[in-house]
Amino acid sequence: MNYIKAFFNYRFLLGELVKKGIRLKYRRSYLGILWSLIEPLLMTCVLVMVFGTLFGRKPGFPLYVITGRLIYSCFTSGTKSAARSIRSNAPMIKKVYIPKYLYPLSSVIDTFVFFLISLIALVAVDIYCKVIPTWHIVQFIPALVFLFILTLGVGLILSTLAVFFRDVEYLWNILLLVIMYMSAIFYYPERLLRSGYAWILDYNPIYHIIEMCRGGLLGYSVSAGRYLYVAAWSFGSLVLGIVLFKKKQEDFILHI
């Protein structure tokens, strides 16, 4: 109850940190927040032109690609921003008491705000591909919830480790590249079935979240096992992140 009470006491500060992150994202940019729409559309065009030729283009391929790209980008941006959140706010942490978890939390929230705005581009591609939404669209809601929880959990872990081990950010960049190729963003999983490496996708929770969103948009259901697997990863990472962050947060001041 004390933690819940403390959260509500600092909710205004959390809002201010989120607004600050949003303002700084595209500071001194002429197009500003419009880049949240332009960037995924441009990247989708490039990926469709290149990989549509290599892997074969099925109906709705642009929608298939942009869905994977947006989910992966949200996870990437959120975790990388959270990893830097404690060190980048070191001057404030040294001067005034603020619950330290607000920094990675605000970083993930403002990333998610831009992600929600970028979904307008997803709607535009959906219209372009002439895909009619079905009742499967409800799968999108739990997928986004799991995405936020997983990003926050991993972000808390990274923000803690990055204070004590500066190489964590560089190692995470390499791992994110591996995760990208394990997420089937621009290729179809059945292509891997012939090579015998398709099993690696089953261990990647981001791939399962992407598939949940694709199922919601393209009109097919995903198995209950996929939901359970993603839920276990999401809540497991969040619990681990909270425990690790709470245990080490008093030592942050000695290393930042």
Side-chain angles (χ1 to χ4, degrees), residues 57-200:
R57 190 177 301 177
K58 295 182 180 179
F61 185 64
L63 186 60
Y64 180 92
V65 170
I66 193 173
T67 304
R69 175 68 187 173
L70 287 176
I71 299 298
Y72 171 77
S73 295
C74 177
F75 177 75
T76 300
S77 300
T79 52
K80 290 171 70 173
S81 179
R84 299 188 299 266
S85 61
I86 298 299
R87 289 171 53 194
S88 61
N89 287 284
M92 187 179 296
I93 293 174
K94 292 177 180 179
K95 291 179 180 178
V96 62
Y97 171 77
I98 297 173
K100 299 177 183 64
Y101 68 85
L102 292 181
Y103 297 111
L105 177 58
S106 64
S107 298
V108 173
I109 290 176
D110 67 57
T111 299
F112 217 74
V113 169
F114 285 110
F115 167 70
L116 294 178
I117 295 172
S118 68
L119 293 182
I120 298 175
L122 188 64
V123 175
V125 175
D126 186 47
I127 295 172
Y128 170 79
C129 294
K130 299 178 182 179
V131 175
I132 301 175
T134 65
W135 65 269
H136 295 93
I137 196 69
V138 298
Q139 295 176 165
F140 218 91
I141 299 174
L144 297 188
V145 173
F146 289 141
L147 176 62
F148 179 82
I149 295 173
L150 179 63
T151 304
L152 178 58
V154 175
L156 286 170
I157 296 172
L158 292 174
S159 65
T160 303
L161 296 178
V163 172
F164 304 98
F165 310 102
R166 304 302 171 91
D167 295 334
V168 166
E169 293 182 36
Y170 304 104
L171 292 173
W172 182 240
N173 286 332
I174 297 173
L175 186 56
L176 283 174
L177 187 61
V178 176
I179 293 173
M180 182 186 71
Y181 286 109
M182 291 175 58
S183 299
I185 294 174
F186 45 78
Y187 64 86
Y188 295 106
E190 55 264 28
R191 292 278 176 173
L192 285 182
L193 292 175
R194 303 170 190 172
S195 63
Y197 292 103
W199 57 270
I200 63 177

Side-chain angles (χ1 to χ4, degrees), residues 204-222:
N204 182 8
I206 296 299
Y207 165 69
H208 292 292
I209 293 176
I210 291 173
E211 277 299 294
M212 290 164 64
C213 292
R214 284 172 174 162
L217 293 171
L218 297 173
Y220 61 85
S221 300
V222 297

Side-chain angles (χ1 to χ4, degrees), residues 33-76:
I33 202 169
L34 287 177
W35 278 113
S36 297
L37 306 178
I38 297 172
E39 190 272 341
L41 288 175
L42 292 178
M43 285 301 302
T44 299
C45 290
V46 173
L47 293 174
V48 168
M49 286 189 291
V50 176
F51 296 102
T53 303
L54 292 176
F55 298 119
R57 190 177 301 177
K58 295 182 180 179
F61 185 64
L63 186 60
Y64 180 92
V65 170
I66 193 173
T67 304
R69 175 68 187 173
L70 287 176
I71 299 298
Y72 171 77
S73 295
C74 177
F75 177 75
T76 300

